[in-house]
Amino acid sequence: MVEFTFHFPSGFLWGTATSSHQVEGDNTNNDWWRWEQEPGRIRDGSRSGRACDWWRNAEADFDRAAAMGQNAHRLSIEWSRIEPREGVFDDAALDRYREMLRGLRERGIEPMVTLHHFTNPLWLAEQGGWENPLTVERFERYVRHAVSALKDLCRLWCTINEPNVLAYMGWNEGKWPPGKRDFGLSMQVLRHLMRAHARAYHVIHELQPEAQVGIAHNMVIFEPAHPASPLDRVIARLHDRMFNRLVLDAMAAGREPGLFSFRILTALRGTYDFIGLNYYTRRLSAFDRRSPATLFGRTFLNPHGELSDGEYGEVFPEGLYLLLKRLARYGKPIYVTENGIPDADDDQRPRFLVRHLHAMWRAIQQNVPVRGYFHWSLVDNFEWAEGWTLRFGLIEVDPETQARRPRRSADLYAEVCRANALTSETIIRHTPELLEEMFGISIG
Ligand code: GAL
């Protein structure tokens, strides 16, 4: 039997990603905790509660990540713990984060720290949160404090996780706090988030010149529902512009986000040392004359595609390849800062993983400078408005008992991390049905 190997570059980072509120537990002092207490906000009526108990014992899961051969982990720190009241900083919280980062390093795991992953301290939310321009300065002050305390333990920073998703879900879709539906406000929020990102970028470099700083940017492949329809094509381009490009244009060219915005802010321009890509799915875009509120467009999942649990997304690995090729034009290193699938019984994840890793490998062969991959997620965790209904973990978690059980994808991913490669052996063991697609051969 001939053996094949898709090698990844030496020094490639292999890890998983998590966020504070989704795994720590008892984050009682932020806007999400308050939101979870309101009836009807969370699909299954569940709450983050103890989550994965990381505030007390993240280290047990760090051990599991290390045993899987992971050499990197992306986690976030919780503003509401570090600055529980305005201008009052909690050294004990920062000590706990220092302990976690040291714990990762001791296990040979390089941390990537996200400074803002969707949650806001209650005191900030009460001042209008991201609608309030003053939040930009408050964020800068928090970043200065947090980075000063942690910089000797962290080199890779994400300022803000998915500004586009936060602005969209909180102010357009209204399914996340503060639950508004106002397009103009969502654009204002996006502008403030991008200004805050730029301030953070400059502050981090002032404190730590060698730091690598970026945004974790969620991108979706938008394709016209009917490729022959000029109107669908216009809408697909519009969705791409609003969701994918505004953030890229802001951090690269300094263009202030907006529907018709041409203002260039020099402080924004070039505020990234790498691009973090969070990729999950493709969506189809269609013209819809009855939807002026959504700019005469709607999007939906490909009804003929392979959909994941809860119709969260379509499995579309080619999208990862296409986005990486597109991001290569920016000439900066790229990390896949999130990629994953909700799949409680793990009947799709092995194939999802192999096909996405192969798509990434293909991009790397074409000189796309991808430096690492962080699978979402290490453990099942609190999935925002979807509560505990969507299970993204390589390791299954029972939030009641805190029991862990690795899914079979955990073994698959561990083999890739340890080998720094995707081998025919791994594919035969876990997803023999993909052999032909991957290597152009079949066994039988
Ligand atoms: C991302 C987000 C994560 C996680 C994931 C799965 O958009 O950054 O927090 O929830 O999606 O839906």
Side-chain angles (χ1 to χ4, degrees):
M1 170 75 207
V2 193
E3 289 183 12
F4 294 86
T5 304
F6 301 119
H7 292 282
F8 285 86
S10 75
F12 198 79
L13 295 187
W14 289 106
T16 47
T18 54
S19 89
S20 54
H21 190 73
Q22 294 176 275
V23 296
E24 284 177 358
D26 291 326
N27 269 318
T28 57
N29 194 26
N30 69 29
D31 54 349
W32 261 94
W33 186 274
R34 187 174 61 187
W35 186 253
E36 292 160 29
Q37 314 310 311
E38 296 175 15
R41 297 301 194 191
I42 311 298
R43 182 190 288 270
D44 55 350
S46 64
R47 297 178 180 171
S48 56
R50 264 166 84 200
C52 307
D53 207 23
W54 274 32
W55 189 246
R56 214 181 47 80
N57 184 15
E59 286 75 357
D61 284 330
F62 294 171
D63 283 340
R64 294 181 178 97
M68 287 168 67
Q70 296 178 32
N71 63 6
H73 183 76
R74 174 172 172 242
L75 75 171
S76 79
I77 57 175
E78 178 63 33
W79 187 352
S80 65
R81 287 192 190 272
I82 293 172
E83 191 178 357
R85 280 175 293 133
E86 185 175 359
V88 178
F89 291 89
D90 182 352
D91 289 340
L94 284 163
D95 283 346
R96 174 66 184 123
Y97 284 122
R98 286 189 61 79
E99 189 176 49
M100 285 192 209
L101 297 184
R102 231 183 285 113
L104 287 169
R105 290 198 168 281
E106 282 163 9
R107 289 166 177 81
I109 297 178
E110 161 121 42
M112 174 184 272
V113 172
T114 307
L115 292 154
H116 187 278
H117 196 123
F118 297 156
T119 53
N120 300 296
L122 272 178
W123 60 262
L124 188 89
E126 270 148 25
Q127 294 174 16
W130 289 100
E131 290 170 34
N132 183 347
L134 292 175
T135 293
V136 175
E137 279 141 52
R138 314 253 192 275
F139 184 67
E140 180 181 349
R141 181 178 57 187
Y142 150 70
V143 169
R144 185 177 289 283
H145 207 90
V147 172
S148 304
L150 304 176
K151 63 180 182 180
D152 58 318
L153 296 168
C154 179
R155 186 181 61 93
L156 298 167
W157 299 94
C158 289
T159 55
I160 297 179
N161 182 67
E162 301 182 349
N164 54 349
V165 172
L166 180 55
Y168 181 78
M169 294 301 287
W171 285 268
N172 236 312
E173 188 91 339
K175 290 195 176 148
W176 289 5
K180 299 194 179 171
R181 294 172 79 100
D182 180 329
F183 178 77
L185 262 186
S186 78
M187 283 296 118
Q188 185 182 315
V189 163
L190 190 59
R191 282 192 286 276
H192 292 156
L193 285 165
M194 292 311 296
R195 282 176 191 237
H197 153 76
R199 295 273 193 109
Y201 178 87
H202 294 298
V203 166
I204 299 170
H205 275 291
E206 177 194 318
L207 297 168
Q208 187 185 9
E210 73 283 7
Q212 293 286 299
V213 187
I215 280 183
H217 179 38
N218 186 308
M219 293 180 79
V220 168
I221 296 274
F222 293 102
E223 281 178 8
H226 302 95
S229 152
L231 283 174
D232 284 5
R233 290 209 300 270
V234 168
I235 294 298
R237 267 206 303 278
L238 178 71
H239 287 151
D240 181 69
R241 193 168 106 73
M242 300 308 289
F243 195 80
N244 293 330
R245 268 198 32 214
L246 289 188
V247 166
L248 293 171
D249 285 355
M251 69 185 194
R255 182 170 302 129
E256 198 179 45
L259 191 51
F260 304 105
S261 164
F262 300 97
R263 193 161 152 215
I264 299 291
L265 303 174
T266 42
L268 245 178
R269 189 191 294 153
T271 51
Y272 64 120
D273 305 314
F274 65 84
I275 300 181
L277 169 64
N278 293 0
Y279 172 66
Y280 288 90
T281 192
R282 157 168 80 175
R283 296 188 73 85
L284 302 183
S285 301
F287 175 73
D288 182 353
R289 75 167 63 80
R290 287 159 313 202
S291 305
T294 57
L295 307 173
F296 298 101
R298 63 193 172 90
T299 77
F300 50 92
L301 294 171
N302 178 5
H304 310 295
E306 179 189 347
L307 304 186
S308 54
D309 288 2
E311 310 222 328
Y312 173 87
E314 179 193 358
V315 179
F316 186 59
E318 184 69 8
L320 181 57
Y321 169 81
L322 294 170
L323 290 171
L324 290 172
K325 291 284 285 181
R326 174 171 168 185
L327 293 176
R329 285 182 231 141
Y330 291 83
K332 297 274 173 99
I334 301 170
Y335 292 93
V336 177
T337 36
E338 285 181 33
N339 172 237
I341 179 172
D343 181 20
D345 61 5
D346 209 47
D347 65 336
Q348 293 174 293
R349 191 177 286 103
R351 267 178 296 122
F352 178 98
L353 254 172
V354 167
R355 296 177 75 206
H356 281 79
L357 297 182
H358 182 245
M360 175 169 76
W361 178 86
R362 277 171 54 221
I364 293 171
Q365 298 321 296
Q366 296 176 21
N367 290 333
V368 179
V370 187
R371 303 280 192 255
Y373 174 88
F374 296 84
H375 189 76
W376 185 276
S377 182
L378 178 61
V379 282
D380 286 344
N381 54 53
F382 180 72
E383 178 55 25
W384 309 114
E386 307 299 323
W388 292 89
T389 61
L390 296 183
R391 301 305 187 104
F392 281 91
L394 293 171
I395 299 172
E396 183 184 331
V397 174
D398 178 337
E400 297 300 319
T401 62
Q402 289 298 317
R404 304 306 199 247
R405 200 171 58 87
R407 296 192 165 95
R408 70 188 173 112
S409 293
D411 289 336
L412 194 173
Y413 192 54
E415 285 177 31
V416 175
C417 296
R418 289 196 202 107
N420 193 28
L422 183 59
T423 66
S424 47
E425 217 185 304
T426 293
I427 294 174
I428 291 167
R429 197 177 359 259
H430 298 278
T431 57
E433 69 275 23
L434 289 183
L435 211 55
E436 189 161 4
E437 179 181 328
M438 297 289 117
F439 299 98
I441 53 165
S442 57
I443 48 164

